[in-house]
Structure formats: C-alpha cells, structure tokens
C-alpha cells in the first residue's frame, strides 16, 4: 500500500528532527567562546544545561497533548484521554532514570563523535532484553537472543573503529574510550527506564505524548534545581568549565552571550526533540512500530554522513561493518525479519505457481489435434 502525503511528511519529519537533535548538540559542543570574568576561549561543554534544554523540549509535548485533547473534545473523540485515572508520580522513577541517562550521554557526546554516539545507543537492546527477562518474566524468542548477540558483535566492531581511527586534538584516545563506555553505561539506565515504564505506567493506557511530557516536566524541574549544587561540586578532569565544577550555568550563559550561534544550536536541540517525539508517536500510529524502528536506524546514517561532510570526524570502513551488524541486531530483536521472510515465501510460492501453470499449459493438447 502506497504512503499518503501525510505519512511521508511524518516519516521525513521524524528522520530530519531526529538527526538534528544529535547534530545540534554536537554543533554546540564544538563552539569556543569566552566565559564569565574575561576567561579564555574554551569549548562549550555544559552537558547538564543541555540536558535541561532537552527536557524542556520533552515538556512541550505536554502542551501538544492538551491541544490535541482540546481538538478531540470538540469532535467527541476520546482517543487522547486515558481510559482510567493514574497518579502522575508514577512517572517520577522513569523520569529520574531519563534524567541520569540523558545527562551521562551529553557528557559522553563531548568526548566522542556524533556517529559513534548514535550507533552505541543501539546497545540499549541488550540491557532491555536482559532486564525484561529478569524483572518482567518475559521469554525472548531465539531471534531476539540472536539480535542481542549481533548487537554485542556490532558494538565491538564500532569500538574497534574508534580505537583505530585517527584522533584529533579535540578528542584524545582516552577521551573517546571514556565517552564510548559512558554511552553504554547510560543505556543500562535507559533500559531500566523502559522496564519501569512497561511495568508501572503503560498498564494505565496513558497517551504517549502525555507520558513524554510528564517525564519531561519532572526531569526539567529536578535537573534545573540540581544546577545550583552542581555549580559548587568539583569535577576535576571531567569538568569542561574554567571553574572546574560539575556544571557552571553562568559560564554557559556568558558563552552564549558572546557567541549567539550557540543559542541557535541549543534551540535546534530543544525544538527537534519535541518534534521528534511527536513524529515518532504519529509514525507508530499512522504506519507501524517497525517503520519507526527503521527510520530511527536511518538517522544514524544521516548523522554519520553529515558529520563526515562537515569534517567533524574521519572515515573508517569498520564503522560501516559495525553499523550493518547493529542494524541486523536491531531488526532481529524487533522481529523485522518476519515480514521479510513472509514476503520471500509468497514470492517463491507465486513463482512456483507460475512455473506449474506454464508447464501445464504447454502439456495441454487441443482436441481437434488429438483426433
């Protein structure tokens, strides 16, 4: 069945905004500007402030939900209303996991390339599968275990590509290794978040936009308050600000004032996460979850291609192999091979039927010829 213009628009919106989300965050990290008090130019390394911006983008999904509900109420449509009441505090534990995992990933993005960042995020499949077996009592199909194994192999290949690639003065080898490990560590927390959401939240049939928006609200408020103590906590070599603390929001605003393009990059990050969540939920509804997974994998290619074109990273052929193995692992885990095998089976059956009809047609002899 051909896609409608609206479905094509949603798929394109998800692909573009998902790519912009990672690229804009990396773009902001690459800027250098003076900080407060006339400090020397330094990179814009403020991962926790960037995480606050991301949660602000997620929080905006709550506004989108209420707009949809307002429009649905005029049409007597209850599709955006929950089927039963729920306690919003149910979202607090997943929001805390989201806040921690996102903050760690933004720290890691300062240390490694955007393409490796996106590829290594695929390791969430491993931990989600293991935790769902341990805590949800789920039984994984053999193809899902094979998908997990393929993902592990793909992670090893991507890691080797990072080790063998030429590293610029911006990213030393030790930083790249630390960044890659932090990304994988963050996926463990993201997997815990997914298990918590499935166990305690999804049974209440909460609209996805409302779920994302509520978690965004919790994450935004909590992390915004945590910026105050972070200003005084020493972070040593992990710190990217002149003060050497975990986060210096004042230094970030001074850098933004001296380099307005940083504000543009942050705005792109905030707005893209909102549109990406909306488009992703709409793609699942209008098309399928499989289509959403494929588009999410394709944005890795877009991020990689743009990073190479802009000279942000060097090409290494092992990354292609690693990405293809990770893509295969994701496809196996999400059951993408089932419709593919069914399609191949139908094609083979159709070919056999055509061949049989051709043979039977050639073997028929007209009656007048037989006489």
């Amino acid at each position: 069945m051909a896609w409608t213009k609206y479905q094509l628009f949603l798929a394109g919106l998800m692909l573009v905004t998902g790519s912009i989300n990672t690229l804009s965050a990396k773009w902001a990290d690459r800027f250098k500007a003076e900080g407060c008090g006339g400090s020397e130019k330094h990179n814009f390394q403020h991962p926790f402030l960037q995480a606050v911006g991301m949660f602000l983008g997620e929080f905006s999904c709550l506004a989108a939900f209420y707009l949809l509900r307002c429009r649905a109420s005029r049409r007597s449509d209850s599709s955006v209303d929950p089927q039963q009441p729920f306690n919003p505090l149910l979202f607090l534990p997943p929001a805390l996991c989201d806040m921690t995992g996102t903050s760690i990933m933004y720290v890691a993005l300062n240390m490694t390339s955007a393409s490796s960042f996106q590829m290594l995020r695929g390791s969430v499949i491993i931990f989600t599968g293991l935790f769902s077996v341990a805590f949800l009592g789920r039984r994984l199909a053999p193809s899902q275990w094979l998908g997990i194994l393929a993902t592990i192999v793909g992670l090893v290949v991507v890691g080797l590509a990072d080790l063998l690639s030429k590293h610029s003065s911006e990213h030393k080898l030790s930083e790249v290794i630390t960044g890659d490990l932090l990304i994988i560590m963050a996926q463990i927390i993201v997997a815990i978040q997914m298990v918590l959401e499935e166990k305690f939240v999804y049974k209440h049939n909460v609209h996805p936009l409302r779920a994302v928006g509520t978690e965004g609200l919790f994450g935004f408020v909590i992390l915004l308050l945590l910026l105050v103590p972070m200003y005084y906590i020493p972070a040593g070599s992990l710190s990217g600000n002149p003060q050497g603390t975990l986060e210096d929001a004042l230094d970030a605003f001074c850098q933004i004032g001296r380099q307005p393009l940083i504000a543009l990059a942050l705005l792109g990050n905030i707005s893209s996460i909102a549109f990406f969540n909306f488009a992703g939920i709409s793609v699942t509804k209008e098309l399928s979850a499989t289509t959403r997974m494929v588009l999410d994998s394709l944005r890795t290619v877009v991020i990689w291609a743009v990073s190479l074109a802009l000279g942000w990273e060097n090409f290494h052929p092992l990354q292609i192999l690693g990405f293809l193995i990770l893509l295969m692992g994701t496809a196996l885990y999400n059951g993408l091979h089932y419709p593919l095998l069914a399609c191949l089976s139908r094609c083979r059956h159709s070919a056999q039927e055509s061949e049989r009809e051709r043979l039977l047609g050639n073997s028929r002899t007209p009656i007048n010829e037989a006489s």
Side-chain angles (χ1 to χ4, degrees):
M1 185 179 69
W3 285 8
T4 64
K5 290 182 179 179
Y6 178 62
Q7 290 171 335
L8 286 170
F9 168 75
L10 288 175
L13 183 66
M14 180 183 169
L15 183 61
V16 171
T17 55
S19 303
I20 290 174
N21 183 246
T22 300
L23 291 169
S24 60
K26 190 62 183 176
W27 187 35
D29 294 342
R30 294 179 62 84
F31 280 111
K32 284 187 176 182
E34 295 178 359
C36 297
S39 61
E40 295 182 357
K41 283 188 177 182
H42 54 279
N43 286 96
F44 185 83
Q45 294 186 8
H46 298 280
F48 297 99
L49 185 67
Q50 285 179 292
V52 169
M54 195 215 70
F55 283 115
L56 179 60
E58 287 189 358
F59 176 35
S60 65
C61 290
L62 204 57
F65 164 75
Y66 283 113
L67 284 174
L68 287 174
R69 193 168 74 168
C70 181
R71 191 179 71 171
S73 63
R74 295 176 183 175
R75 302 179 179 179
S76 301
D77 181 10
S78 60
S79 61
V80 295
D81 286 322
Q83 292 183 351
Q84 54 181 305
F86 68 96
N87 186 350
L89 289 176
L90 283 173
F91 291 99
L92 183 57
L96 291 174
C97 291
D98 193 10
M99 182 185 72
T100 307
T102 300
S103 299
I104 292 174
M105 282 191 281
Y106 274 118
V107 171
L109 187 57
N110 285 318
M111 301 178 176
T112 190
S113 64
S115 62
S116 293
F117 169 83
Q118 195 64 37
M119 289 183 195
L120 292 173
R121 289 178 69 177
S123 61
V124 70
I125 287 175
I126 301 169
F127 307 111
T128 303
L130 295 177
F131 290 162
S132 64
V133 170
F135 301 111
L136 299 178
R138 182 173 298 156
R139 295 185 64 181
L140 298 182
S143 60
Q144 290 179 305
W145 285 113
L146 191 60
I148 289 175
L149 181 62
T151 302
I152 294 172
V153 174
L155 291 174
V156 172
V157 174
V158 172
L160 283 174
D162 278 344
L163 288 174
L164 298 174
S165 295
K166 295 179 180 178
H167 301 286
S168 61
S169 57
E170 184 184 358
H171 295 308
K172 298 177 182 177
L173 179 59
S174 59
E175 288 183 348
V176 171
I177 294 173
T178 304
D180 289 354
L181 291 175
L182 284 175
I183 295 168
I184 295 173
M185 185 191 304
Q187 301 320 301
I188 299 175
I189 300 171
V190 172
I192 295 172
Q193 174 195 346
M194 291 181 175
V195 170
L196 287 172
E197 286 175 343
E198 184 164 346
K199 190 171 181 66
F200 299 110
V201 178
Y202 289 161
K203 64 181 179 181
H204 293 280
N205 194 26
V206 183
H207 191 277
L209 279 177
R210 190 174 192 180
V212 171
T214 307
E215 286 186 13
L217 172 61
F218 281 123
F220 175 72
V221 172
I222 294 171
L223 198 53
L224 189 65
L225 293 174
L226 286 176
L227 289 180
V228 177
M230 285 179 183
Y231 181 80
Y232 300 99
I233 299 174
S237 59
L238 286 176
S239 174
N241 57 76
Q243 191 168 306
T245 56
L246 202 57
E247 181 60 281
D248 188 350
L250 296 178
D251 180 69
F253 287 115
C254 287
Q255 287 188 291
I256 292 170
R258 288 177 170 82
Q259 177 52 273
L261 285 176
I262 298 176
L264 180 63
L266 294 178
L267 182 62
N269 187 251
I270 294 169
S271 57
S272 63
I273 193 65
F275 283 106
F276 175 68
N277 278 295
F278 172 76
I281 291 165
S282 300
V283 164
T284 303
K285 181 182 177 182
E286 294 287 333
L287 296 165
S288 67
T290 302
T291 305
R292 183 176 181 177
M293 184 271 294
V294 171
L295 290 171
D296 202 38
S297 299
L298 284 177
R299 72 179 176 128
T300 303
V301 179
V302 174
I303 291 167
W304 189 29
V306 172
S307 298
L308 288 172
L310 294 174
W312 289 0
E313 57 184 275
N314 298 313
F315 174 78
H316 199 287
L318 268 181
Q319 275 196 316
I320 298 178
L321 178 62
F323 170 70
L324 291 175
I325 297 173
L326 285 172
L327 187 62
M328 183 180 68
T330 303
L332 286 169
Y333 186 85
N334 289 281
L336 187 60
H337 60 292
Y338 289 125
L340 183 62
L341 290 175
C343 181
L344 290 174
S345 178
R346 285 196 300 270
C347 291
R348 186 173 60 183
H349 180 71
S350 177
Q352 289 175 346
E353 286 292 323
S354 299
E355 180 67 16
R356 189 173 68 175
E357 287 179 5
R358 186 180 66 82
L359 291 172
L360 288 174
N362 290 339
S363 64
R364 291 189 186 117
T365 305
I367 295 175
N368 56 0
E369 288 184 10
S371 62

